[in-house]
Amino acid sequence: MSCIFCKIVNKEIPSTILWENNDLLAIEDINPVAPVHCLIIPKSHVTTVAEVDGNQLKSLPQCIEDLIIEKDLKKHGYRLVTNAGFDGGQEVDHIHFHLLGGKKLGKMG
Ligand code: 5GP
Ligand code: ZN
């Protein structure tokens, strides 16, 4: 399997792990675009949110809640984004959510 996020999930490539359970892994983005830029990665390889088994996302709210406390985002807010496909600007073809914050973010589009 040559997918870079599968390798991160399998600990074949190092990353800064922020949160983990059986279904999800949260890490620091290697190229942050905001003071806080975490990636939440469902562990099994599917490409987009449209294909993921909902059971694997059951712990997503808990993961987000823990990260926003850890990263002190409760007061000023944050953005949760998943890019899909070419028009969506997806570069890694393994589903992931970007958690962004720590500054006033620009409008999307
Ligand atoms: P996408 O454009 O697919 O929505 O986002 C892919 C994200 O993965 C980018 O923000 C990029 O910086 C991040 N990324 C790519 N390769 C690695 C890596 O090896 N380690 C980490 N921690 N992040 C990565
Ligand atoms: Zn993968």
Side-chain angles (χ1 to χ4, degrees):
M1 171 63 77
S2 61
C3 169
I4 194 161
F5 283 0
C6 282
K7 287 183 174 164
I8 287 174
V9 162
N10 292 326
K11 319 278 166 66
E12 292 163 30
I13 292 178
S15 65
T16 303
I17 295 175
L18 301 169
W19 196 97
E20 182 171 18
N21 72 0
N22 284 338
D23 300 317
L24 301 176
L25 179 72
I27 64 173
E28 299 281 7
D29 195 291
I30 204 167
N31 186 22
V33 299
V36 176
H37 189 167
C38 314
L39 298 174
I40 303 169
I41 307 172
K43 287 190 169 179
S44 58
H45 183 97
V46 294
T47 305
T48 69
V49 72
E51 298 151 63
V52 74
D53 174 355
N55 282 321
Q56 285 181 51
L57 301 180
K58 269 204 252 177
S59 50
L60 185 61
Q62 185 64 60
C63 178
I64 292 166
E65 175 72 3
D66 291 348
L67 289 174
I68 66 177
I69 291 168
E70 160 104 13
K71 296 293 187 181
D72 198 22
L73 299 176
K74 274 223 160 189
K75 184 172 176 200
H76 295 292
Y78 57 90
R79 181 173 294 159
L80 185 71
V81 178
T82 184
N83 299 323
F86 180 79
D87 280 359
Q90 183 176 16
E91 288 176 2
V92 178
D93 285 342
H94 179 134
I95 180 178
H96 53 281
F97 301 89
H98 299 257
L99 180 68
L100 301 159
K103 71 171 186 180
K104 178 83 175 87
L105 299 162
K107 289 289 177 196
M108 292 194 294

